[in-house]
Amino acid sequence: MNQIVEPVYQPIERHGFWLLMLFGGNDMPLQSKLLSGDPKLEACAVQDAAHIMLGAHGDHVRKIQSALNLVDHNTLKVNGVYDTFTAAAVLRYKQARDIVNRKYQQKADNRVGRMTIERLDQELKALEASPHRESDY
């Protein structure tokens, strides 16, 4: 049986703007324009077995790379390969936001799982809705 997770609103500062972001909830589909509708990313948001990690490749990895470039102003090559550069960018992203599943981790890892894809999606959605967004969203 799935545990109910109550959504939480949390203010965060990104690039000089404060955004009120919603985190949490169960099995919510991805909502950002960039990530929503991708079967592998949607699966990642709801299935532990669908984590995305080093060695993965495809359009879903391109979307993760693009998302990291947008939210953290990374300069990742968007090549669709989850290489060591992508893994390092994911690790930095998770460390900066303290994305750690405390049930079985003590520190962030370089995988994209439920918590990471949800957070990326919510940050992208907030950026897409921002009146001060950059032209490449």
Side-chain angles (χ1 to χ4, degrees):
M1 175 179 254
N2 287 344
Q3 178 183 9
I4 301 296
V5 177
E6 292 296 322
V8 175
Y9 285 94
Q10 177 182 348
I12 65 165
E13 187 271 331
R14 284 286 172 264
H15 316 300
F17 298 100
W18 282 94
L19 306 168
L20 189 60
M21 308 238 337
L22 175 65
F23 298 101
N26 284 12
D27 299 342
M28 293 175 55
L30 299 175
Q31 298 178 10
S32 67
K33 291 176 186 174
L34 180 60
L35 303 181
S36 67
D38 185 294
K40 290 185 179 180
L41 297 178
E42 294 286 354
C44 178
V46 296
Q47 300 171 16
D48 289 335
H51 286 183
I52 302 162
M53 59 191 84
L54 197 60
H57 54 87
D59 195 46
H60 64 298
V61 176
R62 279 185 194 83
K63 292 175 183 179
I64 292 168
Q65 291 167 330
S66 295
L68 291 167
N69 285 345
L70 289 169
V71 300
D72 274 354
H73 294 288
N74 283 307
T75 56
L76 284 173
K77 182 188 256 186
V78 181
N79 60 7
V81 178
Y82 202 120
D83 53 19
T84 56
F85 298 108
T86 303
V90 167
L91 180 60
R92 284 191 306 273
Y93 175 84
K94 291 174 73 168
Q95 288 171 332
R97 291 155 179 85
D98 195 31
I99 300 174
V100 176
N101 187 336
R102 306 244 184 252
K103 292 178 187 174
Y104 63 91
Q105 293 178 309
Q106 294 181 1
K107 60 183 182 175
D109 61 24
N110 62 7
R111 299 176 182 190
V112 176
R114 289 181 190 207
M115 295 169 69
T116 310
I117 201 69
E118 178 182 286
R119 183 74 179 251
L120 261 177
D121 184 59
Q122 292 300 321
E123 287 189 42
L124 286 170
K125 187 177 176 196
L127 286 173
E128 291 166 356
S130 171
H132 301 286
R133 65 186 188 175
E134 295 179 23
S135 61
D136 55 356
Y137 296 138

